[in-house]
Amino acid sequence: MGVVVGGVILDESVVLASDSPQHENPSLQPVADSLLRRLRHSKIPTGISYDVGLSDDKDLLGKNQQMATGNSVVTVGYVMKPSREEDFAKRGAFPLYPTQNGLIFMPLTFELPLSPQLQEVDIVLHKATDGIKSIELKSRTNFSNRIVYTSGMQDLQRYLEDHPDCCVIDSFNNIYPVLDRLEIQEILLCLEDLKTEGRSTIRGPRFLKVDSFKEPDLLQRLSEAKLSLPSIVKPQVACGVANAHNMAIIFRNEDFKDLSVPLPAVVQEYVDHSSTLYKFYVLGEKVFYAVKKSTPNADILMKLSESNGLKPLVFDSLKSLPTAKEDQHYGDGNCSKATNSCVDLDLVTDAANWLRGVLDLTIFGFDVVIQEGTCDHVIVDVNYLPSFKEVPDDIAIPAFWEAIKKKFELKRSK
């Protein structure tokens, strides 16, 4: 358990460069900016102890705030890329003072020995996909043998393997399926078990793995997989590498042979969904959702492509195709704020709980589109530790903390 303090006083040697003049415009140490930013986002009262020569406006960097103190908090050590950490921290997700349910967050750094840092924390929260250097998907051997992490992330992985009693959200092994679009597609096939009379169908899209776009029997294989045009083509690797989000929508069979989507790839059915995407977020036992604009129906896409001779529409899914800008909506764990009468939110919540059990993940997200005509609910993407920024912070962040705390309590009870 960690110990809570009411404020921080930093010696000038920690913050200011040793070669800075002590009377005007002192410069910061390379690591000071990150440290001060974390303290600022946490609203920790912060001061600097300095020689008389420093100007008076350097004496206090933080604003005073009523602080909770105590010695019974759970320390969460977290590691992810700086831009992601900044996004979470700005929203108050990583406070350095106790949360309402007794968590305190401590950033881990690969610039210092990792083991002493991990010995000071009770839970580890990581975004391992931020530390991926390469993934090899050409074979179906153990995923851990096909992924190469940065040296720092490898150190974390080894530590967790050597210390099985360490509480982690979530284990490296458990996130592997969401890195592989083919594996996720195969898992989603089992959604058939949720089918009941009188309810909508929830499923994954029809799909086919392709190792080469020049396969002589490709068209036959597409037909056998019940894939018609247009189809969407995605790299098999789902995240962690630069081209994982390079995709294409195909309108003609002859355009497969010159396609630039990285191989191996997964060809999926393109589902007409009225340009509406439902982003679901699972935070422990709670399920939230947001409604966003998405890519248009196939007939509109074809009109967009006609001016270019119906050539494939190639895009980066992180940037997406142009969509109309409308207000977003969100829903709470009771799924009571549906914006479309066709959405069976109880069904999707059942699917979320099923996925949580199958994947054994604490925090993850998935995207759902609703097929026009059939009203099939189609899960088109699954991802680990999403930002869930579409859900208001005053709702999502406490649920985020609660999911972490419950995972710790469950681990400790065992």
Side-chain angles (χ1 to χ4, degrees), residues 118-384:
L118 291 169
Q119 292 172 18
E120 298 297 324
V121 306
D122 303 297
I123 313 173
V124 175
L125 174 71
H126 66 85
K127 181 76 170 179
T129 54
D130 287 345
I132 292 176
K133 294 175 65 177
S134 64
I135 299 178
E136 173 59 61
L137 293 180
K138 290 184 179 180
S139 66
R140 298 304 298 272
T141 58
N142 185 353
F143 209 112
S144 61
N145 297 328
R146 297 181 283 147
I147 186 168
V148 177
Y149 290 105
T150 60
S151 59
M153 201 62 75
Q154 289 181 45
D155 290 343
L156 176 59
Q157 184 181 29
R158 281 192 293 268
Y159 182 93
L160 296 175
E161 290 173 349
D162 293 340
H163 298 79
D165 292 335
C166 180
C167 183
V168 58
I169 302 174
D170 286 290
S171 78
F172 279 64
N173 287 338
N174 291 3
I175 70 169
Y176 290 147
V178 302
L179 304 182
D180 186 340
R181 287 192 174 97
L182 179 62
E183 186 163 349
I184 280 293
Q185 290 287 161
E186 293 172 344
I187 288 173
L188 294 178
L189 289 174
C190 297
L191 284 168
E192 286 286 328
D193 297 341
L194 298 182
K195 183 178 290 187
T196 57
E197 190 70 28
R199 299 181 77 180
S200 300
T201 295
I202 188 161
R203 61 181 179 86
R206 291 187 290 272
F207 68 96
L208 177 70
K209 180 189 175 183
V210 177
D211 292 311
S212 171
F213 295 124
K214 297 181 181 180
E215 294 178 12
D217 60 345
L218 178 58
L219 298 185
Q220 179 181 343
R221 294 182 63 219
L222 290 169
S223 177
E224 291 171 350
K226 298 181 180 180
L227 286 166
S228 58
L229 298 176
S231 294
I232 184 167
V233 186
K234 306 176 180 180
Q236 185 179 340
V237 58
C239 60
V241 296
N243 57 9
H245 303 281
N246 293 350
M247 303 179 183
I249 298 174
I250 299 293
F251 302 95
R252 304 181 305 181
N253 287 326
E254 57 265 33
D255 290 325
F256 276 103
K257 63 180 183 298
D258 296 320
L259 203 57
S260 59
V261 175
L263 291 167
V266 176
V267 181
Q268 293 180 356
E269 68 172 308
Y270 187 84
V271 178
D272 281 346
H273 56 286
S274 304
S275 301
T276 303
L277 179 73
Y278 295 84
K279 298 189 73 68
F280 281 83
Y281 300 108
V282 181
L283 303 176
E285 297 177 355
K286 293 189 175 180
V287 181
F288 302 86
Y289 74 95
V291 186
K292 297 187 68 176
K293 295 303 292 183
S294 180
T295 53
N297 286 356
D299 58 341
I300 299 175
L301 287 175
M302 291 185 71
K303 290 178 181 178
L304 290 174
S305 183
E306 281 176 354
S307 60
N308 195 29
L310 279 181
K311 290 183 179 179
L313 289 175
V314 180
F315 62 98
D316 183 325
S317 65
L318 292 180
K319 301 174 182 177
S320 190
L321 295 175
T323 58
K325 293 183 179 179
E326 294 183 5
D327 292 338
Q328 296 174 353
H329 308 278
Y330 75 92
D332 58 19
N334 295 321
C335 291
S336 59
K337 299 182 180 181
T339 59
N340 186 326
S341 59
C342 188
V343 181
D344 187 339
L345 292 170
D346 290 335
L347 175 65
V348 182
T349 301
D350 288 346
N353 293 329
W354 179 85
L355 276 171
R356 181 173 61 235
V358 171
L359 299 174
D360 194 17
L361 291 175
T362 308
I363 301 169
F364 66 96
F366 59 97
D367 296 344
V368 174
V369 298
I370 299 176
Q371 187 172 34
E372 286 193 359
T374 67
C375 214
D376 283 1
H377 294 48
V378 185
I379 298 178
V380 294
D381 189 31
V382 181
N383 54 86
Y384 167 67

Side-chain angles (χ1 to χ4, degrees), residues 32-46 61-63 65 86 89-90 96-97:
D33 182 64
S34 174
L35 171 62
L36 296 175
R37 186 169 60 250
R38 286 162 173 159
L39 291 169
R40 183 177 70 252
H41 290 323
S42 286
K43 299 181 175 63
I44 293 280
T46 305
L61 299 178
K63 297 180 179 179
Q65 176 178 324
E86 177 81 357
K90 281 181 178 178
L96 297 173
Y97 59 89

